[in-house]
Amino acid sequence: MKLNKNFRNLQDSYLFATIANRLSDYLAAHPDAPVIKLGIGDVTLPLPQVCVQAMEEASREMGVKETFKGYGDYPGYPFLREAVRGYYRSYGVELKANDVFISDGAKNDVANILDLFAQDNTVLVPDPVYPVYVDTNVMAGRKVVYISGNAENGFTPSPDPSIDADIIYICSPNNPTGAVYTKEGLKEWVDYANERQALILFDAAYEAFIEDPAYPHSIYEVEGARTCAIEICSLSKTAGFTGTRCGYTIIPEELERDGESLNQLWLRRQSTKHNGVSYIIQRGAAAVFTPEGLAQCKENIAYYKENTRMLAKVLDEKGIFYTGGKNSPYVWLKAPGGKKSWEFFDLLLNDLNIVGTPGSGFGENGEGYFRLTGFGSREQTEIAVERLRKLL
Ligand code: PLP
């Protein structure tokens, strides 16, 4: 019996463990310190009531012989796949019925989709970025190359023709930088991928935070994307489903590589390794896309975004460079005074009792940067903002 040795190549992820350790050391020495956590990447508001009601109703159906459901369809129930299509249509993207696959979350499908690809593909990952893209490919033994996100390109790097990549990750709006690609920015990547027969894995987990019509919610708003991109999305941040688990992956029917349909390969993969998402959860997810559901989600997102906006406003006042703060729950700021990410973490914890996330945990280019989020409560964010206003 031999283990997958690629796991040895994974870098230990100390980020959140180190944050927790430093915080508990600090609290041991200062038990009454009024610490505010703005490092949180999880939602905190409860599910929209319309989703809860739909899941209650679906649970009752499961207890009645006539409405009980066993295994569902591998790609998801038609009622939810159609609801997702309707949502895309609302911002001008027409999907085909079979393009949509229901998933149990974006992280799961970001990882699982790699089953389709050979080991000897080169993977291009922007730095800094959501660490799952790198780790899942390292586990599979793939070569990972990086493209630099930085202040000059607003953390939305353009393709570099000298880099030969087969699989390209794009996350917009981005975690951790909150930066969002314009249609023109995405078009450059779409053209690059189509020219080289490469594939884009587009993570749209934060699309619901986009309010500015200049920014696309979906890569399929860009001409040519149907022949080069898979889009992975989630209801986690849209509707508070981080603990409920549901998302969707779009693989256009006409997307082919190596002479094969990726949509058909994925269906084959899912019917072998996946028995679908629970009927109850899919009913809750479908409720997200009703007019009432969309309104409730919008209200929750507006709450987080107001928190984020307040944080960004202090940075504006202080003339501190940041990305995000709008169209995103994240604010990604340059640590003042040329401080390193962890130095700034210690300063905020010790002097302001605020916990955030050091940017260096998201890649080399994150050094010197820091992530704050709008996922906290309004009251706590207001206090944090006042403290930042005094110290920064
Ligand atoms: N993609 C990005 C960029 C994320 O930041 C996250 C979670 O923080 C996910 C995917 C995970 O989404 P899900 O909860 O649907 O697995």
Side-chain angles (χ1 to χ4, degrees), residues 28-50:
H30 310 87
D32 298 324
V35 170
I36 296 177
K37 293 183 185 168
L38 294 183
I40 187 164
D42 197 353
V43 292
T44 49
L45 294 173
L47 290 174
Q49 282 310 303
V50 68

Side-chain angles (χ1 to χ4, degrees), residues 28 35 74 92 234 275 288 342 359-360:
V35 170
Y74 298 120
S234 164
N275 257 337
V288 168
W342 279 107
S360 53

Side-chain angles (χ1 to χ4, degrees), residues 31-201:
D32 298 324
V35 170
I36 296 177
K37 293 183 185 168
L38 294 183
I40 187 164
D42 197 353
V43 292
T44 49
L45 294 173
L47 290 174
Q49 282 310 303
V50 68
C51 299
V52 175
Q53 284 154 10
M55 289 191 282
E56 283 171 353
E57 175 60 27
S59 304
R60 278 192 289 276
E61 284 181 49
M62 293 300 264
V64 175
K65 193 170 188 323
E66 288 70 28
T67 49
F68 168 77
K69 306 269 183 306
Y71 292 122
D73 298 346
Y74 298 120
Y77 281 101
F79 64 79
L80 181 53
R81 299 174 84 194
E82 282 306 310
V84 170
R85 282 181 81 201
Y87 181 59
Y88 273 76
R89 205 171 287 131
S90 73
Y91 46 80
V93 173
E94 193 56 48
L95 298 177
K96 295 185 186 161
N98 289 330
D99 292 348
V100 183
F101 293 84
I102 303 306
S103 77
D104 49 353
K107 187 188 218 177
N108 313 46
D109 269 15
V110 160
N112 293 336
I113 199 81
L114 297 179
D115 271 5
L116 306 193
F117 313 126
Q119 193 187 7
D120 58 359
N121 284 298
T122 298
V123 176
L124 179 60
V125 178
D127 171 4
V129 89
Y130 182 52
V132 172
Y133 310 150
V134 174
D135 286 357
T136 48
N137 279 289
V138 170
M139 284 176 187
R142 272 187 210 98
K143 181 179 166 198
V144 179
V145 296
Y146 295 90
I147 183 149
S148 187
N150 50 49
E152 286 68 48
N153 58 35
F155 289 94
T156 51
S158 297
D160 173 349
S162 70
I163 299 179
D164 233 339
D166 305 300
I167 298 171
I168 301 144
Y169 285 84
I170 301 177
C171 177
S172 176
N174 187 277
N175 178 13
T177 67
V180 196
Y181 274 97
T182 58
K183 257 188 206 169
E184 296 69 37
L186 283 184
K187 178 81 173 113
E188 289 181 43
W189 282 108
V190 164
D191 291 346
Y192 170 94
N194 275 325
E195 270 158 29
R196 290 161 196 252
Q197 287 289 291
L199 179 77
I200 295 173
L201 296 179

Side-chain angles (χ1 to χ4, degrees), residues 150-152 154-155 315 318-323 332-335 369:
N150 50 49
E152 286 68 48
F155 289 94
L315 303 177
K318 304 281 176 181
I320 293 171
F321 174 84
Y322 67 92
T323 51
W332 175 254
L333 62 121
K334 181 142 184 58
Y369 284 86

Side-chain angles (χ1 to χ4, degrees), residues 23-36:
L23 178 59
S24 69
D25 289 352
Y26 182 80
L27 286 174
H30 310 87
D32 298 324
V35 170
I36 296 177

